[in-house]
Structures are given as C-alpha cells and as structure tokens.
C-alpha cells in the first residue's frame, strides 16, 4: 500500500521541523512499481520495488541547497537538513530565486485507479505471454516491458504549503523484429487505468507491422504527403508547445517572438483545425492537482483554431512582467477529427505512412525547425493504398509548417511518442493526421 496523505504529512512536518534555514521546501515521491521485461521472445527479468525519497531544499536569501534522503529516521532527516543548509550557504546567489510558496488551494483531481494499483503478477505475466506467443507464431523476435505502478507526490514548505496526490500508471512497450533484421514494428501505450491497456491488441499491431515492413526498398527523399500515426504526431506537438516559453519570446529568441518586439500572442500561427490545450481533468490523461513546485495546475488553452492563446511564464518571469505564473502542465491534448486511418490513407495519391519518429533534435529555434528519423515501419502509399515497405528516412520539418499543412485527423487517443513522451508524469492525447508536403531530406539504412 502506498503512503496515505496522513503519513506523508507526518513525514514532511517532521522534516520541516528539523530545518534551520530561512525557508525550506520538502518534496516526497515514491510508491510501488512492478514489471516484467522480455527479449528474444523470453522473459528476462521480473520484479517489484517499493520505496520513497525526500528532497529537502534549504534556502537563505538567494542561496539554496538540496539534499535527497531515502532513510527517514530522525537522525537521517536532521543530517540531511544540515547538509542542505551547508550546501546553501556555500552556493552563489541565484538572482532569479523566488520565495517559496505558502498555502495553496488545489482542485479535487483523481489520476489514481484501483485496477492499476492492484495489478497482479499474473496480469503482467499474461500480458507478456500474449506478446511472446504472437511473436513465435508470426516468426518475429519481440522485446519490451510491462510495468504497473502506484505512486504519491507530496510537497510542503515552511511557509504553510502542503499538497498530496497519488496516481497510477500501466505502461506497455514492445519492439518486434523479423529474424533477418530488415523488418521492425513498435507499439507503446501508457494509461492511468489498467482497463484501458490492451496488451493483446498492441502486440498484434507491432508484430504485424514488423512482418509487413520486411525487406524495404528505398525511395527518393523529397516532399511527401504523410499519414502520421499518433506516436509520430505527438512528437510534433510536444516540440511546439515545449518551445512556447514567454521569456524566450519576450527576449526575441523564439518563433513566438514578434518582429520589432513583443510576442505573437493572439496571432494565427497554424491551421484553423488545430486546438492544443492542457487539462488536468481530461478523462484519458488525469494529472495531479499541483506541479513540481506546488503550483495548482489548471486548464490552459495553448492554441485554439490555430491562434496562439498562451505562453508559459516561470514564477520569476511572471513577476518581472506582471503576469500570473504558469503551472507546469501534466498533459498535452490535441483535438482530432472524424476520419479513420483508412480515410487518411485513402486520401493520399502518393505519400508515406509513418509509425513513429526518433532522435529528434532542434535545428533552428526561430522557426522551430527540427530533424529526426523515421523508425519501426515506414510504408509507401500509392493511389490511396499502402503498397510496400520503404527504408527509413531523415526528415527536417517545423511543427509549425506541418500543422499549417494539416489536412485531416482521426479521433484523439492516449499516446506515447516515439521519443518516449507521454508516460506517467506527462500524458499526451492526440490523433493520427494527414499532412501535406512533409520534407524528407535523405535516406537511412537504420531499421
């Protein structure tokens, strides 16, 4: 059983009582996790762990020091507090340090579900068995993991703040390869509720894709209409919103900066079909009621009908600019459309179907141009049908340009991106999408 609110409060109160700093914050995290890992169609490890850690932040003026403890006796907590204070006194001033938060009001949110918290070893073993059985039947080699967890986070300060929340996660990841190494498929999902995770369907999709992507041939790089599966779409919208920083924009260092000064707030920056927002109460992606600093999370519209609605203000920059600070959101949601995957593919004269992206790196923050590679299944679409597997390609594209060329979307779904964003801690909900004139710059022999 994970710690209750009362247990967390008792520990954080005790830790704060030992502090001699001007201001002190303590953050308690931890809980129960259990997993099964597999490779080459065999289970490799299985285990469970339970543990907690307490970060103590001591602050004197503009100086601060942090120590983390995992043993909570009085002597250990006192020693951790003294060490944090010593580090703080030795640290240089941080001119942007902000006072610690006082008491906050948090919404009643529930990202905790009993079915995930109570997931049994048999459930995890059966989830892996389904993948291994299917892989052996289809003559592919599978590797991956299944993990379930129930965790808490509590934050408290010497100025009267206390927040406590608990959350659950059920995570699944599978990569399948053909024996000759030329075909690859992938599937990954994360949910707060166990009932939403379907290991059999995910295994079937990844293994089928591995078989279908065997012996790909190269096509010329260039501009293609692409059908991006949700995992690929997620990386585009995450790169867009993670760059929406108010300070960088005000200082002219961002795509969101306006020429001549100011920001592009209120301007239409992408196509009218695009709505991006964060909502801690979203049923597919519920989050804790506070962020890592203890700020109450709230619904934030980032882009609506293509118009930029908000930028993210740190506490320091918000105070400097006379704005409200932006809590770090626990999710990112993109509204979708009514098309099916078949509809998206049917509308392509010649293009490619992308499973996921990886190794994405920034090229130009002024245009949000990024580069990356396709992976684990790239297919040519001709006259509305998927015709054959093709070799992976490097792409250079800005999510801004891509979302301006967005043509059609499926309904949104909970998604883990190819770069791994979307698990517990920061959820992503987005659709698959058809996008015109997506730029591929070169071929790649990587599978």
């Amino acid at each position: 059983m994970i710690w209750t609110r009362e247990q967390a409060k008792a520990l954080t109160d005790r830790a704060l009582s030992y502090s001699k700093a001007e201001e002190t914050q303590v953050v308690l995290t931890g809980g129960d996790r259990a997993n099964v890992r597999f490779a080459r169609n065999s289970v490799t490890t299985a285990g469970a762990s339970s543990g907690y850690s307490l970060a103590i932040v001591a602050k004197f003026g503009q100086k601060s020091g942090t120590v983390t403890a995992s043993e909570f006796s009085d002597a250990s907590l006192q020693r951790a507090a003294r060490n944090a204070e010593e580090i703080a006194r030795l640290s240089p001033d941080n001119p942007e340090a902000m006072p610690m938060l006082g008491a906050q009001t948090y919404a009643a949110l529930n990202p905790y579900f009993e079915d995930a918290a109570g997931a049994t070893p048999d459930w995890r073993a059966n989830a892996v068995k389904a993948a291994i059985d299917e892989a052996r039947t289809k003559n592919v080699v599978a590797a991956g993991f299944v993990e379930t967890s129930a965790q808490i986070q509590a934050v408290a300060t010497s100025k009267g703040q206390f927040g406590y929340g608990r959350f659950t996660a059920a995570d699944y990841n599978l990569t399948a390869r053909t024996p000759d190494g030329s075909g690859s498929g992938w599937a990954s999902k994360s949910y707060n509720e166990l009932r939403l995770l379907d290991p059999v369907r995910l295994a079937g999709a990844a293994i089928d894709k591995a078989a279908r992507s065997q012996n790909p041939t190269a096509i010329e790089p260039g501009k293609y209409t692409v059908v991006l599966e949700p995992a690929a779409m997620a990386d585009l919208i995450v790169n867009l919103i993670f760059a929406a920083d108010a300070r960088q924009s005000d200082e002219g260092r961002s795509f969101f900066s306006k020429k001549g000064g100011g920001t592009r707030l209120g301007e239409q920056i992408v196509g009218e079909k695009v709505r991006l927002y964060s909502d801690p109460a979203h049923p597919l992606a519920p989050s804790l009621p506070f962020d890592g600093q203890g700020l109450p999370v709230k619904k934030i519209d980032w882009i609506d009908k293509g118009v930029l609605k908000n930028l993210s203000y740190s506490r320091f920059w918000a105070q400097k600019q006379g704005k409200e600070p932006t809590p770090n959101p626990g999710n990112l949601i993109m509204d979708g459309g009514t098309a099916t995957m078949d509809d998206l593919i049917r509308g392509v004269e010649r293009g490619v179907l992308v499973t996921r992206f990886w190794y994405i790196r920034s090229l130009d923050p002024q245009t949000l141009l990024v580069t990356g590679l396709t992976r684990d299944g790239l297919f040519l679409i001709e006259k509305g049908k998927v015709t054959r597997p093709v070799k992976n390609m490097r792409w250079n594209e800005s999510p801004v340009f891509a979302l301006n060329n967005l043509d059609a979307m499926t309904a949104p779904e909970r998604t883990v991106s190819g770069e791994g964003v979307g698990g517990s801690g920061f959820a992503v909900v987005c659709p698959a999408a058809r996008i015109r004139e997506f730029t591929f710059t070169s071929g790649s022999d990587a599978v």
Side-chain angles (χ1 to χ4, degrees), residues 225-230 233 236 271-274 334-348 353 402-412 430-437:
T225 296
V226 292
V227 174
L228 302 182
E229 294 193 3
M233 193 65 192
L236 291 185
E272 289 186 353
K273 294 176 181 175
V274 178
M334 181 176 181
D335 280 353
T338 59
T340 65
M341 279 298 288
D342 286 343
D343 293 336
L344 298 184
I345 293 168
R346 229 180 341 259
V348 179
L353 170 62
L403 292 178
N404 269 299
N405 288 330
L406 191 151
D407 186 29
M409 297 177 283
T410 66
C430 74
R434 186 171 66 220
I435 292 172
R436 303 180 303 277
E437 297 188 339

Side-chain angles (χ1 to χ4, degrees), residues 159-194:
K159 300 176 74 173
Q161 178 196 29
F162 179 74
Y164 167 89
R166 57 180 189 168
F167 60 98
T168 49
D171 300 311
Y172 182 94
N173 183 286
L174 185 150
T175 300
R177 293 281 174 88
T178 54
D180 65 359
S182 70
S184 184
W186 173 87
S188 185
K189 285 288 185 182
S190 178
Y191 293 99
N192 295 77
E193 293 183 78
L194 189 70

Side-chain angles (χ1 to χ4, degrees), residues 15-85:
L16 289 172
S17 73
Y18 294 132
S19 177
K20 298 178 181 177
E22 293 175 2
E23 296 178 282
T24 306
Q25 181 195 56
V26 293
V27 179
L28 175 66
T29 56
D32 301 333
R33 313 174 74 101
N35 65 76
V36 178
R37 295 181 178 275
F38 58 104
R40 299 181 69 84
N41 293 347
S42 297
V43 171
T44 55
T45 59
S49 63
S50 181
Y52 295 84
S53 66
L54 184 75
I56 301 175
V57 183
K59 188 165 177 287
F60 296 95
Q62 300 297 95
K63 302 173 182 292
S64 66
T66 303
V67 165
T68 300
S70 57
E71 205 276 314
F72 304 141
S73 67
D74 290 345
S76 176
L77 292 177
Q78 290 182 55
R79 187 164 53 249
R82 296 293 84 76
N83 289 342
E85 292 158 13

Side-chain angles (χ1 to χ4, degrees), residues 7 14 26 35 99 136 160 203 228 269 305 342 353 358:
Q7 289 173 302
R14 189 156 54 93
V26 293
N35 65 76
R136 288 173 174 164
L228 302 182
I269 59 170
K305 295 181 180 176
D342 286 343
L353 170 62
W358 78 298

Side-chain angles (χ1 to χ4, degrees), residues 415-439:
T415 301
V416 175
S417 84
E419 292 274 86
V421 180
S424 60
F426 187 83
V428 177
V429 176
C430 74
R434 186 171 66 220
I435 292 172
R436 303 180 303 277
E437 297 188 339
F438 196 89
T439 306

